[in-house]
Amino acid sequence: MGHRQNKLLRSLKMQNNTPPKVCILGLGYIGFPTACVLGDVGLEVVGVDIKESHVNDINKGKIKVEEPFLQEIYERAHKQGRFIAKMTPEPADVFLIVVPTPFKKDHKADLSFIYKAIDSILPVLKEGDLIIIESTSPVGTTQEIKDHLQSRGFGGNRISLAYCPERVIPGNLVHELVENDRIVGGVTPAATKKAVHFYKNFVKGKLLETNSATAELAKLAENIFRDVNIALSNEMSMVCDELGIDVLELIHLCNHHPRVNYLSPGCGVGGHCIAVDPWFLISELPEKTSLIRKAREINLKKEEFVIGKVIAAAKEFKRTHGRDPIISCFGLAYKPDIDDLRESPALAIALRLFSQGYKVIANEPNVTEIKELTLFPTQEAVDNGDILVFLVAHHEYKFLKVPALSKCILDYCGILEKV
Ligand code: SAJ
């Protein structure tokens, strides 16, 4: 861990003389790093997960999330006995709910993990405790949980309840956990204040106070903003393809305008957030969200567009060479320089080509194995492929030696511009 970050965590430790005990429900991509940071700043943390193997791995020091600083922070918290993983919740002062909210077939949010987590803490919950929901949720969820708690005997203001969405970016998670501003929305102003007080234990950014519904919508609105903006770039890339114009040059030129900032077009939009969260609003208010839905559709269409282009290149190769080409896919993660495959458009593209009978090999520098695909080291994937499809701009590709003349090269992530 860098000197600056160490100093930051030390200074945070001194802010709170009587640190609360924290029970974190969900030890995934957000819950686990949060538990490590809280343990590291001196709080007693019990992390709870329903997966026994995950709990055992954490307690043995095997951590699966690869993020800068995380291993170090985990080791410090764990060695000092401040973070232990368990299968069942323990009494605590603060309960953080950081479980997944996937969507169901109708695109409505599946809140079952949140409710299971809430129900699992009921036996240890006591008057004066604070519950904070961090999981992405449709507007109104926190208020509904308040009603649920009331129906279980925790009515009135016996429990404080607040919503505080996480905003960290995979790849820079620990830094953003500490540095980012946070939106904190209690179901009462007193609950907001209590939650703000808690976050002061480790957040260096501003703590912005609001109500729970506004905080819930803010989380969705932030990811929708990004989805819509990426959709615009993806649509422009398809327009450029039709017109024979280089989209990256176009964007470079347009972004010199002081009020224009196109994001990067890619092979689609993945990850567990931006490709999912907009649906939580679209499914609740379909009449009011036509632009948001269109953006989602365009980002999904970009995946199909890429598949269509690769198939066209494969057919052309067969026509000219008299044999099926080997298609090398570069990058399978949902974005550059991470090992996360969730909702990855690149992986979906490679698998679709494979399932349609094309000879597909792949390279993913951040993953060792993928069931359906044969993974090759980067340069071998270049040497063995007839059609090279660049899907994710991993930094390794910047140093590739690509014999441009003998290969068909399709770049959907702008990496070759950087070579
Ligand atoms: N992408 C593009 N072009 C771009 C930027 C991204 O095609 O210019 C693609 C990526 O390749 C990826 C997808 O979009 O497939 C999402 O990547 P991302 O880096 O934009 O975002 P995530 O999903 O890793 O994290 C987002 C962040 N939200 C915002 O930036 C508004 C993060 O701050 C949230 O905490 C996270 O979602 C979350 O958990 O909700």
Side-chain angles (χ1 to χ4, degrees):
M1 157 157 291
H3 173 68
R4 213 176 118 249
Q5 195 97 3
N6 253 328
K7 206 171 140 201
L8 163 68
L9 293 178
R10 270 203 306 276
S11 69
L12 285 167
K13 278 180 201 180
M14 286 162 203
Q15 285 187 5
N16 204 328
N17 294 331
T18 50
K21 179 172 172 180
V22 186
C23 183
I24 300 192
L25 284 288
L27 292 175
Y29 283 79
I30 307 296
F32 175 70
T34 307
C36 294
V37 170
L38 283 170
D40 191 41
V41 298
L43 274 62
E44 187 186 343
V45 183
V46 174
V48 178
D49 203 281
I50 51 172
K51 261 197 200 156
E52 191 171 5
S53 59
H54 192 45
V55 166
N56 290 340
D57 281 351
I58 288 174
N59 288 333
K60 280 185 206 144
K62 282 191 222 162
I63 72 168
K64 286 186 184 139
V65 185
E66 279 212 23
E67 284 286 339
F69 308 128
L70 189 57
Q71 181 78 33
E72 255 174 278
I73 294 182
Y74 165 75
E75 279 168 15
R76 280 207 301 263
H78 189 60
K79 269 185 201 142
Q80 291 171 26
R82 295 218 187 89
F83 169 29
I84 184 156
K86 299 208 163 167
M87 296 283 296
T88 46
E90 281 193 357
D93 306 297
V94 181
F95 293 90
L96 272 190
I97 312 289
V98 201
V99 293
T101 30
F103 57 42
K104 297 182 278 193
K105 279 205 180 98
D106 57 1
H107 282 137
K108 288 203 187 266
D110 175 358
L111 299 177
S112 59
F113 292 106
I114 297 187
Y115 276 94
K116 272 185 200 142
I118 293 283
D119 286 342
S120 77
I121 62 176
L122 292 177
V124 294
L125 201 59
K126 58 187 185 311
E127 187 152 353
D129 286 351
L130 168 66
I131 302 175
I132 302 170
I133 319 284
E134 288 201 0
S135 310
T136 305
S137 306
V139 179
T141 304
T142 313
Q143 191 59 49
E144 278 168 25
I145 289 169
K146 185 177 166 63
D147 299 341
H148 180 77
L149 285 169
Q150 186 156 14
S151 73
R152 298 292 188 277
F154 290 98
N157 289 326
R158 293 182 62 205
I159 302 295
S160 300
L161 180 63
Y163 182 74
C164 177
E166 59 81 14
R167 286 172 141 177
V168 291
I169 196 94
N172 195 24
L173 233 151
V174 174
H175 175 81
E176 290 207 355
L177 258 178
V178 175
E179 298 281 341
N180 284 2
D181 297 344
R182 301 284 297 250
I183 300 172
V184 186
V187 290
T188 60
T192 308
K193 293 271 179 252
K194 211 167 168 181
V196 163
H197 188 68
F198 165 71
Y199 280 105
K200 280 187 181 158
N201 281 297
F202 70 102
V203 173
K204 202 187 167 202
K206 290 194 186 83
L207 294 162
L208 308 163
E209 298 180 22
T210 183
N211 57 52
S212 58
T214 309
E216 286 160 342
L217 184 56
K219 170 67 192 182
L220 303 182
E222 288 168 6
N223 281 350
I224 286 168
F225 176 89
R226 202 145 165 88
D227 201 34
V228 170
N229 278 282
I230 298 169
L232 180 62
S233 296
N234 278 337
E235 183 155 275
M236 200 51 74
S237 73
M238 293 185 274
V239 167
C240 282
D241 181 75
E242 197 64 29
L243 298 176
I245 288 171
D246 177 350
V247 68
L248 296 181
E249 186 192 357
L250 178 91
I251 286 179
H252 171 75
L253 296 173
C254 293
N255 283 354
H256 274 271
H257 185 292
R259 283 170 297 283
V260 173
N261 186 16
Y262 274 91
L263 295 177
S264 309
C267 65
V269 167
H272 197 60
C273 307
I274 296 191
V276 175
D277 299 355
W279 290 115
F280 292 179
L281 197 61
I282 302 168
S283 62
E284 295 295 330
L285 294 171
E287 304 293 326
K288 303 281 179 208
T289 48
S290 51
L291 173 65
I292 302 168
R293 174 189 283 273
K294 199 75 208 161
R296 253 318 46 244
E297 286 167 1
I298 290 168
N299 286 332
L300 286 167
K301 192 167 100 184
K302 186 69 193 282
E303 228 172 277
E304 298 302 320
F305 171 87
V306 172
I307 291 170
K309 287 280 167 188
V310 179
I311 289 177
K315 284 187 175 148
E316 178 59 16
F317 183 94
K318 189 164 185 183
R319 194 181 65 76
T320 50
H321 290 72
R323 65 172 174 89
D324 287 323
I326 292 175
I327 300 170
S328 283
C329 291
F330 291 85
L332 298 171
Y334 87 82
K335 66 177 187 175
D337 300 325
I338 59 168
D339 60 357
D340 194 335
L341 298 168
R342 290 178 300 169
E343 314 288 333
S344 168
L347 179 61
I349 289 165
L351 290 176
R352 272 275 293 287
L353 292 167
F354 174 74
S355 71
Q356 289 186 25
Y358 291 96
K359 291 181 183 167
V360 178
I361 62 172
N363 169 260
E364 175 42 74
N366 306 297
V367 172
T368 47
E369 203 186 320
I370 287 179
K371 219 164 66 187
E372 300 87 341
L373 295 170
T374 313
L375 294 186
F376 277 69
T378 313
Q379 195 59 49
E380 277 181 46
V382 171
D383 298 340
N384 287 312
D386 299 304
I387 298 175
L388 312 184
V389 189
F390 289 88
L391 296 168
V392 186
H394 292 312
H395 76 272
E396 285 87 349
Y397 302 154
K398 288 179 197 161
F399 309 106
L400 269 184
K401 291 188 194 82
V402 183
L405 289 180
S406 59
K407 309 274 181 187
C408 167
I409 298 167
L410 302 173
D411 177 12
Y412 294 105
C413 56
I415 190 73
L416 296 184
E417 236 209 0
K418 296 174 192 150
V419 170

